[in-house]
Amino acid sequence: MLYNDSFQHDEAPSETKPSAIAHGKPSTGSHPAPLPPLQDQFGRTFDYVRIAITENCNLRCTYCMPEEGVDFKRGDQILKTDEILRIIHVLARMGVRKVRFTGGEPLVRKDIVKLVEGAAGTPGVKSVHLTTNGILFSRYAERLLAAGLTGVNISLDTLDAEKFQRITRRTGVEKVLDSIRLALDLGFPRVKVNVVLMQGFNDDEFPAFCELTRDMAVTVRFIEFMPFDAHQIWESGEHFASAERMVSRIKELYPGVETTSGTRTEHHIFQAPGYKGKIAVIPAFTRSLCGNCSRIRVTADGKVRNCLYSDDEYELMPLVRSGAPDEAIAGVFRKAFADKAKDGFEAKKRSAAKRISVSDIGRISMTQIGG
Ligand code: SAM
Ligand code: SF4
């Protein structure tokens, strides 16, 4: 089946019963008393939450999930609109200032504008971002901007229509390119393009992606391929392209290129002289960024994860659904981050040691973890 434009569904009823949130409704504007900030045993503080709002998606990228999808959670199994906003409210009290909605594909949820508006209106939250494959972006772009969306990361791994179809198992490269242009035209404060670079898939397009930054004020971010592909193409390792090699290629393409400033994960970031945009490299697999980690992850089914490479999960849903006070919800985050490993290597080692068999690996795709 090719990409079907009408694919869209409301993942979950948008409201829980009023009694379920009686102890802690999302704030209506006044600043609630701050709670102690979230910290781990290494003194790192966490001010950035990435919330997966669905596991489902309208594409089937080969480096993420199989054609038939994975075992998507649906309906009551995933967080509802007001539950997500309640979690953001508690986190904002704990010092979280940046919120990102991701998935799965966040734009397949019909309440996306409401979520952005609610997050942007939460006292303490300074910026709200979205990571999307861009297919449905034009449908929501103006409303998202009006709702307070500050940044949009659009994923695009090839500029070629035939290759797009091979990588995503759907059509739509022009739609994604139009979404990038639209985001810039509408004046979104931050527009980024996420490219998962893979040997033998799209590494030949590295120069073309870099050249997008000549006339477009975007940050093109090359991301290392990670083993969260539902056991599809990672196994042999032959498609892995290292951050180190990507940085060398940028320096070869643009001798004398300047380093510039970026976010914490944009570990290597450059701007070619006279170019409008920036080029970043994200060492997502080689993990040289762990010391700087400020991320909290919440999965679509309401679990806290303290590291992409850890299997440990901390359950939020029952507390949120039973109307527990903010302090109890905050306690789940505190427990999760008290347990956080020093880095992703340590986290992976610990998780592997806890597994009894290979089938214990719970989440096998980025769409279940929240990319
Ligand atoms: N559907 C949205 C999208 O594609 O932008 C948001 C969710 S997606 C899981 C978030 C990001 O994770 C995307 O930029 C995607 O390219 C990246 N991603 C997915 N699987 C990956 C993998 N195995 N290794 C590295 N990045 C991956
Ligand atoms: Fe969907 Fe994003 Fe995964 Fe691609 S990377 S299949 S767009 S969730």
Side-chain angles (χ1 to χ4, degrees):
M1 188 189 79
L2 296 183
Y3 162 68
N4 172 3
D5 195 49
S6 66
F7 174 91
Q8 203 179 13
H9 58 108
D10 210 353
E11 280 282 5
S14 66
E15 307 292 340
T16 39
K17 293 185 191 80
S19 59
I21 55 167
H23 294 282
K25 281 190 198 141
S27 169
T28 49
S30 60
H31 275 266
L35 294 168
L38 190 57
Q39 235 186 336
D40 71 2
Q41 55 175 317
F42 305 101
R44 287 175 293 199
T45 52
F46 299 86
D47 61 359
Y48 171 23
V49 66
R50 298 173 69 94
I51 307 184
I53 57 174
T54 175
E55 294 184 357
N56 213 334
C57 187
N58 47 356
L59 298 184
R60 289 288 182 275
C61 304
T62 46
Y63 56 77
C64 181
M65 63 164 121
E67 167 70 65
E68 62 278 12
V70 289
D71 188 13
F72 300 124
K73 301 248 171 47
R74 296 171 191 279
D76 260 1
Q77 294 173 302
I78 67 166
L79 293 167
K80 298 173 173 54
T81 321
D82 56 353
E83 293 167 351
I84 294 168
L85 295 178
R86 173 81 196 290
I87 291 167
I88 293 170
H89 159 83
V90 175
L91 285 171
R93 289 187 67 189
M94 300 172 84
V96 166
R97 299 291 171 256
K98 176 172 173 182
V99 175
R100 176 175 303 279
F101 293 118
T102 180
E105 173 47 40
L107 296 183
V108 303
R109 253 185 94 136
K110 284 183 182 157
D111 59 353
I112 185 65
V113 176
K114 231 169 160 180
L115 283 168
V116 168
E117 194 172 45
T122 303
V125 171
K126 297 226 179 328
S127 65
V128 182
H129 304 249
L130 182 73
T131 300
T132 171
N133 61 32
I135 295 285
L136 296 170
F137 183 70
S138 63
R139 206 179 276 183
Y140 292 105
E142 289 183 26
R143 281 179 285 158
L144 289 171
L145 186 64
L149 190 71
T150 27
V152 56
N153 288 12
I154 299 179
S155 302
L156 179 64
D157 306 302
T158 176
L159 303 167
D160 176 83
E162 186 274 322
K163 233 181 197 175
F164 185 91
Q165 194 163 343
R166 223 176 329 131
I167 294 177
T168 68
R169 302 186 178 103
R170 302 289 187 272
T171 56
V173 69
E174 276 308 324
K175 270 200 173 97
V176 184
L177 282 164
D178 285 348
S179 294
I180 297 167
R181 291 183 203 110
L182 178 64
L184 289 170
D185 289 349
L186 288 175
F188 276 94
R190 272 177 290 284
V191 183
K192 301 188 179 185
V193 178
N194 282 355
V195 185
V196 178
L197 201 74
M198 291 166 292
Q199 298 284 6
F201 270 69
N202 59 355
D203 59 318
D204 57 326
E205 293 188 71
F206 189 85
F209 272 109
C210 290
E211 276 301 293
L212 284 184
T213 67
R214 180 192 289 268
D215 297 318
M216 283 182 160
V218 295
T219 301
V220 171
R221 296 153 37 104
F222 293 105
I223 302 172
E224 279 180 341
F225 178 33
M226 294 180 281
F228 306 118
D229 65 334
H231 311 310
Q232 291 191 94
I233 54 174
W234 173 267
E235 291 308 327
S236 64
E238 71 192 77
H239 298 300
F240 179 71
S242 75
E244 201 183 353
R245 177 71 192 117
M246 296 182 213
V247 170
S248 309
R249 285 184 81 179
I250 294 168
K251 291 182 177 166
E252 282 159 22
L253 284 169
Y254 305 102
V257 65
E258 300 280 336
T259 55
T260 177
S261 59
T263 65
R264 291 193 195 203
T265 49
E266 290 161 3
H267 205 60
H268 310 279
I269 182 154
F270 305 92
Q271 187 158 29
Y275 280 39
K276 289 188 179 160
K278 297 176 182 180
I279 307 167
V281 173
I282 318 287
F285 182 70
T286 48
R287 281 163 268 183
S288 44
L289 40 75
C290 296
N292 266 340
C293 183
S294 63
R295 295 173 172 203
I296 304 160
R297 289 173 189 275
V298 176
T299 62
D301 57 339
K303 315 263 202 281
V304 182
R305 286 179 74 110
N306 61 25
C307 175
L308 196 52
Y309 287 91
S310 169
D311 291 347
D312 293 349
E313 300 192 331
Y314 303 80
E315 188 68 81
L316 281 174
M317 189 98 94
L319 283 179
V320 175
R321 289 218 167 142
S322 65
D326 283 5
E327 287 73 10
I329 294 171
V332 177
F333 287 101
R334 287 197 203 294
K335 167 78 182 117
F337 283 79
D339 293 350
K340 184 173 164 72
K342 176 169 67 59
D343 56 34
F345 296 102
E346 182 65 31
K348 194 172 172 189
K349 209 158 70 187
R350 278 199 216 161
S351 291
K354 281 187 206 162
R355 284 178 204 141
I356 295 167
S357 71
V358 179
S359 61
D360 288 341
I361 305 172
R363 294 177 195 255
I364 53 173
S365 157
M366 281 295 273
T367 199
Q368 298 166 311
I369 302 169

